[in-house]
Amino acid sequence: MKKIDQEIVRESKMEELAQEGIELFPHKVKKTHSIFDIVSGFSSFSKEELEEKKVKVIVSGRIVTIRRMGRATFFHIADSQARVQVYLREDKVGKKNYKLFSLFDIGDIISVEGFLFETKTGELSIFTDSFTFLAKCLHPLPEKWHGLQDVELRYRKRYLDLIVNPEESEVFRLRSALISKIRQFFDQKGYIEVETPMMHAIPGGALARPFKTFHNALGIDLYLRIAPELYLKRLIVGGFEKVYEINRNFRNEGISSEHNPEFTMLEFYQAYSDYNDMMVLTEELINFLSLSILGLEEVVFGEEKISLKRPWKRMKFKEALVLYSGIAPSRFEDEAGVIELALTLTPDKKSLTYGKALDIIFDKYVKHNLIQPTFIINLPKEVSPLAKASKDNPDEAERFELVMGGMEIANAFSELTNPAEQRERFEQQAEERKKGSEEAHWIDMDYIQALEYGLPPTGGEGIGIDRLVMIFANRKSIREVIFFPLLRPK
RNA sequence: GGCCCGUUAGCUCAACUGGUAGAGCAGCGGACUCUUAAUCCGCAGGUUGAAGGUUCAAGUCCUUCACGGGUCACCA
């Protein structure tokens, strides 16, 4: 890559540092405080208190601003959480060191040692007596005022985004807190966290196209998992009554502001419960997350306010269709008509079943209207091959989707426990595969055998963590909540 | 994959119906010991995403391509 003049300047400054005997890549540095410790611990102190206490600190960070004024210089050092001002004066550090500092640039990482004080303008700062070079930044950083705006660059070079747009790091701190609180929630309820395979010989547990790979030693095709579901239920068969897993799923489908090919899924299963229990648990979980992270039972999402006060609305799938689709209720009785309508919405599809057609109409006309958290219950059995049928209506499944912010956040059901019925459902799916539906479920005989050993009544659920973070962090694109979203290599 | 939009200095953005590619920040040189988007003086920085084409003349119009964003489709 061609070097620009500023890069050449920075390189020659680094050479000069070396000539001055400065260690360019030091091994270790002393540190008494983080920048955050200083800002949070001493901001409330008055000028006089600081002078009296003479707090000595050794702190490291990246130089993000420099204001040189002859024999004195102010600069800020920062990490992803906080920034603090440093005051450097020639009479304090000596002529030689002061001159050395002219070889430092915005972006360099240094350690400074000094006493805390307050400037005339009232900013908590470090009056430094010495500083240590830690790392050179060989490229100029984006502009201090606007930061890095180019979304493509922000995603491709997330480290740059984090350096110059510190508010972006808040999204990821929130994400981390959310996952940590999820673990706390389930652990307290006696769940155990488990890990199941991410490489499957038979990809299952969802309706989606998988990524395919090959294992050399075994000489077999393997697939990156599209869901952990079937393995987690095997663990229920094995006697673990409450399990959860938080990890990546991989789906070889389109990319959009709501879809990344790899995404983080929370799945949890509880023996001796059903989908109604899962609804209560879900409300409890997300309400808890909101209260413990945001301190509120409400989140702002775009133009909307989402209330997380319990209980949340429960609405039958078909009722939601009638209420939001704008299609006359009587038309839903006409199966052929519904299929025809759905086909016009998805020109790529050649044929559809009634249940699939309803699902398409739901996604198209209903989902985006559901901003407040809503459990859409009793989805068509046809599109739910792993769920128990409803007692009252054999065409419906004991299944719900949680929709909020116009997005599907969770999907849960009373797990199908009857091995013979599971086998029939798989066979139906196999028929659909034959007809060209690449996302239809495979037949997993080992899973059926696991069911034959006896799966107790079980409720299970998956929650899309990335989308939940989107809502909590008020971001409209999934790429804003994933450090390194998938982009085409340049 | 279809359609729409975008791509100009390291970054953020200008450049009217085609007529000499500019500014701010960052950088370099100089002044400056409480500044904070520091200030003041000066300087440098460009294959306008790529390749073709139209034209006396293209950042601007046309074609193709690349990457991204939005949207539709696919897909929980």
Side-chain angles (χ1 to χ4, degrees):
Chain A
M1 218 186 280
K2 204 188 152 212
K3 278 180 190 148
I4 58 165
D5 51 359
Q6 294 194 49
E7 290 166 340
I8 294 164
V9 167
R10 281 168 184 251
E11 270 180 24
S12 62
K13 282 180 178 176
M14 192 157 86
E15 278 164 31
E16 270 188 71
L17 283 170
Q19 279 162 20
E20 294 294 327
I22 301 295
E23 177 79 60
L24 293 183
F25 302 97
H27 287 244
K28 198 171 158 69
V29 63
K30 239 200 253 170
K31 181 181 157 188
T32 60
H33 297 73
S34 73
I35 297 173
F36 183 77
D37 290 337
I38 291 171
V39 173
S40 62
F42 298 98
S43 286
S44 59
F45 283 49
S46 73
K47 203 167 180 142
E48 294 71 29
E49 281 174 307
L50 286 171
E51 261 169 47
E52 197 182 308
K53 280 199 166 18
K54 291 209 187 315
V55 184
K56 182 164 184 164
V57 299
I58 306 173
V59 59
S60 300
R62 191 184 290 276
I63 300 172
V64 290
T65 65
I66 302 180
R67 290 174 295 284
R68 299 180 206 269
M69 298 175 309
R71 294 189 174 78
T73 296
F74 285 93
F75 59 97
H76 279 93
I77 57 172
D79 59 23
S80 71
Q81 219 171 356
R83 59 156 62 188
V84 66
Q85 183 170 255
V86 182
Y87 185 38
L88 178 73
R89 235 164 62 180
E90 192 187 76
D91 59 5
K92 189 95 173 175
V93 297
K95 258 194 170 159
K96 194 179 167 220
N97 282 328
Y98 193 78
K99 207 178 161 205
L100 196 69
F101 188 80
S102 67
L103 298 176
F104 289 17
D105 287 301
I106 289 172
D108 292 0
I109 299 173
I110 70 168
S111 166
V112 303
E113 184 169 349
F115 291 92
L116 296 183
F117 79 109
E118 195 180 299
T119 62
K120 275 184 188 164
T121 48
E123 179 168 350
L124 176 68
S125 305
I126 301 167
F127 200 154
T128 186
D129 359 84
S130 69
F131 54 87
T132 311
F133 173 83
L134 298 178
K136 190 77 191 164
C137 177
L138 291 169
H139 305 282
L141 290 184
E143 201 214 1
K144 61 183 169 189
W145 192 242
H146 299 92
L148 185 62
Q149 298 293 323
D150 184 318
V151 288
E152 184 179 351
L153 263 182
R154 285 184 47 232
Y155 300 154
R156 287 189 194 277
K157 302 191 183 216
R158 181 69 84 183
Y159 51 90
L160 256 191
D161 186 29
L162 294 168
I163 290 170
V164 295
N165 302 328
E167 66 282 3
E168 294 302 319
S169 76
E170 287 308 311
V171 172
F172 295 98
R173 283 177 197 287
L174 188 150
R175 180 182 176 118
S176 171
L178 191 97
I179 290 170
S180 157
K181 288 288 172 188
I182 288 170
R183 291 202 160 97
Q184 185 184 323
F185 178 87
F186 282 104
D187 293 347
Q188 274 173 358
K189 289 205 176 289
Y191 276 75
I192 65 163
E193 182 173 4
V194 297
E195 293 173 274
T196 63
M198 312 243 303
M199 303 175 79
H200 293 178
I202 297 174
L207 308 181
R209 287 152 71 184
F211 287 94
K212 190 176 181 178
T213 185
F214 183 75
H215 189 276
N216 290 336
L218 293 179
I220 54 168
D221 287 332
L222 286 173
Y223 300 85
L224 300 188
R225 76 173 180 198
I226 55 175
E229 170 152 355
L230 301 186
Y231 285 94
L232 290 170
K233 285 190 279 193
R234 283 174 170 100
L235 296 182
I236 302 285
V237 170
F240 286 102
E241 291 182 11
K242 296 174 173 180
V243 294
Y244 73 98
E245 178 163 11
I246 301 173
N247 220 317
R248 229 63 67 75
N249 287 348
F250 306 87
R251 298 188 184 176
N252 204 341
E253 311 281 4
I255 296 175
S256 78
S257 56
E258 290 173 26
H259 299 86
N260 195 57
E262 55 176 308
F263 61 101
T264 300
M265 182 80 118
L266 159 68
E267 285 209 11
F268 49 98
Y269 291 81
Q270 181 169 333
Y272 316 115
S273 64
D274 69 1
Y275 79 140
N276 288 307
D277 301 314
M278 290 293 113
M279 278 185 250
V280 174
L281 192 64
T282 304
E283 286 174 332
E284 206 185 317
L285 168 67
I286 294 178
N287 187 272
F288 164 75
L289 293 174
S290 179
L291 278 173
S292 57
I293 293 168
L294 307 172
L296 297 167
E297 287 184 288
E298 177 178 273
V299 296
V300 175
F301 189 58
E303 308 287 299
E304 313 278 353
K305 271 193 179 152
I306 298 177
S307 169
L308 300 173
K309 284 207 172 71
R310 300 159 63 195
W312 299 345
K313 200 184 282 176
R314 284 139 170 87
M315 191 185 291
K316 282 205 162 185
F317 178 77
K318 282 204 169 168
E319 286 169 15
L321 278 174
V322 168
L323 204 58
Y324 290 101
S325 70
I327 299 167
S330 56
R331 282 188 63 191
F332 284 104
E333 306 306 321
D334 171 17
E335 296 199 4
V338 167
I339 292 169
E340 204 176 309
L341 171 64
L343 280 172
T344 65
L345 298 174
T346 60
D348 289 11
K349 286 253 155 100
K350 282 153 257 149
S351 69
L352 283 173
T353 58
Y354 180 57
K356 272 219 142 153
L358 291 177
D359 205 34
I360 286 164
I361 293 169
F362 180 85
D363 282 354
K364 184 92 180 158
Y365 287 134
V366 179
K367 201 188 272 180
H368 298 291
N369 296 314
L370 296 171
I371 305 301
Q372 299 305 318
T374 307
F375 293 110
I376 298 296
I377 63 173
N378 292 24
L379 280 83
K381 191 176 81 177
E382 281 175 49
V383 293
S384 316
L386 300 163
K388 259 199 182 109
S390 160
K391 267 190 177 167
D392 313 324
N393 184 340
D395 293 333
E396 294 176 359
E398 282 205 357
R399 170 181 174 190
F400 71 78
E401 285 186 353
L402 169 64
V403 183
M404 59 194 283
M407 293 186 289
E408 184 195 325
I409 298 296
N411 178 28
F413 25 91
S414 304
E415 304 298 334
L416 178 55
T417 52
N418 178 339
E421 188 179 350
Q422 184 65 77
R423 187 177 188 144
E424 282 169 30
R425 302 271 198 99
F426 277 161
E427 276 160 5
Q428 277 167 20
Q429 291 286 312
E431 281 302 307
E432 289 187 31
R433 283 194 82 74
K434 271 192 198 154
K435 287 185 205 152
S437 169
E438 285 184 70
E439 62 278 358
H441 213 291
W442 298 29
I443 298 184
D444 187 336
M445 291 308 291
D446 181 76
Y447 176 68
I448 290 168
Q449 196 173 54
L451 293 184
E452 287 170 358
Y453 280 92
L455 175 65
T458 296
E461 177 165 343
I463 295 182
I465 296 300
D466 311 275
R467 290 180 185 172
L468 197 61
V469 176
M470 284 169 67
I471 287 174
F472 274 67
N474 190 16
R475 298 289 165 141
K476 291 285 190 175
S477 169
I478 199 167
R479 296 179 205 100
E480 295 288 336
V481 303
I482 293 174
F483 273 130
F484 302 102
L486 188 66
L487 297 182
R488 191 184 289 275
K490 245 191 163 162

